[in-house]
Amino acid sequence: MSLHGDIAIAKSALLSKKSVANPWRRSVIKGIRAPGAAFPYLVLLGTMRYRGGKDFTAIYKRNPVEVFEFSNASYKRWIVTK
């Protein structure tokens, strides 16, 4: 199951925010999903782990996403469908 408790990060930790039209590119999605659920090009929910960090993802279909980058936080990035 791809459930997380509430996640919160201080606004002062936000480094950048950008919109990405195609979230399914390797430049956006890094690492392996653990834990979570995924069906390619349909849904990606959960944590993506990679060397040096992890990302929180909530991507649905081929919709554009917002990518939030953080410093000194449990997740380096949040990648969420708009």
Side-chain angles (χ1 to χ4, degrees):
M1 194 112 200
S2 57
L3 299 176
H4 282 271
D6 290 339
I7 58 174
I9 296 177
K11 196 172 187 176
S12 60
L14 182 64
L15 294 175
S16 68
K17 174 188 166 189
K18 66 180 177 179
S19 295
V20 177
N22 179 8
W24 297 100
R25 297 179 310 177
R26 284 201 169 264
S27 61
V28 177
I29 299 174
K30 301 181 201 177
I32 60 170
R33 179 189 40 79
F39 294 97
Y41 306 105
L42 184 61
V43 64
L44 176 60
L45 296 171
T47 300
M48 297 297 291
R49 296 178 188 274
Y50 52 90
R51 184 173 301 197
K54 61 184 179 177
D55 296 339
F56 172 80
T57 58
I59 302 171
Y60 298 95
K61 299 184 181 177
R62 294 180 186 252
N63 297 325
V65 295
E66 295 284 339
V67 179
F68 300 89
E69 283 193 52
F70 300 98
S71 66
N72 300 323
S74 59
Y75 291 99
K76 287 199 171 206
R77 300 183 306 162
W78 289 357
I79 305 168
V80 295
T81 299
K82 288 184 178 181

